[in-house]
Each structure stands twice: as structure tokens, then as C-alpha cells.
Amino acid sequence: MSRLLLLLLMAAAIHNSHAREGLVVVANTHYRSPTLTLEQVRNLFMGGNAGLALKPVALPLNNHTRLLFNAHVMGLPEKRIQSYWAQMKFTGRRVPPAILHSEQDVVSYLLENPETVSYLPADQPLPDNLKVLYWAGN
């Protein structure tokens, strides 16, 4: 019986750790789109405008949230994304998203800059002025 209880507790802990790894794409509420599609999010963060007037900002390399975003939303490893941006910068075709130091910096930046968009952990508390445009859960 205690072995079954231990297994159930372990399963619940694993489930909760995966739930915390969900991501949201958020923007300043001045942007009025009800939601973004996965394709629109990918286009925005790869330098396209996806028909939207939003400017993306990102977290630094090796940030856990960034790694999750790249894997689960972009569908690309960090090396591939860095290679893409090296090529885009070299040819002068696109500029990568600005890099902010932390999730808290992202929240502050979005609040101060209308028409900006970024990603955060799904369990990150959000001020009323930020709107979830896309949710990526496991």
C-alpha cells in the first residue's frame, strides 16, 4: 500500500513539474489581437512581422524559459536558431529580437513598451496590462 502511495505521489510531482513548464506569449494590452497562432508566433520570433505590428523580445542564451520556448514553440534547437540569426544579420535581411536579462525584465519592458511581445513561464504572475496571446503547454 505504501509503495502505491509513493508511486502516486511521484506521478503527481512529475505532472506538476511539467505543468509549470508551460509557456505563454504575452503582449502589452495596447495590442488587441485576441490570440496568435503557432505560425504567427514563430514568424514574429524569426524576424517576420506575420502581418502584425509587434516587436519581439527574448531571454538570454541558456535561460531555461528560452530553451523551452525554442524546443516547444519554435521547434528548433538553440544552435539552429543562432545559425539562422547569424545568416540574417550577415545578409542584412532581419534583426534578431532584443535580449533582456530575466523574466522580470521582460514583464517590465512589455509594460513600458506598447506593441512588444515576449514569452514567459505559464506560472509567472502577470499584471493586468499584459495579455496572453498564445499558450503552449506540455
Side-chain angles (χ1 to χ4, degrees):
M1 179 69 165
S2 64
R3 186 178 197 132
L4 178 60
L5 181 59
L6 179 62
L7 288 173
L8 288 173
L9 289 173
M10 287 174 55
I14 290 169
H15 174 74
N16 287 338
S17 71
H18 286 298
R20 284 188 295 244
E21 290 191 342
L23 298 166
V24 290
V25 174
V26 297
N28 190 304
T29 55
H30 288 92
Y31 188 72
R32 303 204 188 283
S33 174
T35 60
L36 294 177
T37 66
L38 178 60
E39 183 179 344
Q40 287 173 314
V41 171
R42 287 177 176 164
N43 284 337
L44 282 168
F45 284 90
M46 294 305 274
N49 67 10
L52 306 167
L54 290 171
K55 291 185 172 93
V57 294
L59 289 165
L61 299 174
N62 298 322
N63 175 286
H64 182 69
T65 303
R66 178 181 174 134
L67 296 173
L68 288 173
F69 178 77
N70 288 343
H72 297 292
V73 177
M74 301 305 290
L76 297 169
E78 184 65 42
K79 282 186 173 185
R80 177 69 179 96
I81 291 173
Q82 292 303 311
S83 174
Y84 169 82
W85 283 118
Q87 184 179 18
M88 291 297 108
K89 288 192 289 187
F90 179 76
T91 61
R93 290 191 283 176
R94 294 186 177 169
V95 178
I99 304 292
L100 300 175
H101 291 89
S102 69
E103 287 82 353
Q104 203 53 37
D105 289 344
V106 166
V107 170
S108 297
Y109 186 86
L110 293 177
L111 287 171
E112 295 169 9
N113 296 279
E115 308 301 323
T116 54
V117 63
S118 193
Y119 48 86
L120 293 166
D123 63 354
Q124 171 94 23
L126 295 176
D128 292 338
N129 295 358
L130 297 183
K131 181 177 182 182
V132 173
L133 302 180
Y134 182 80
W135 186 85
N138 289 340

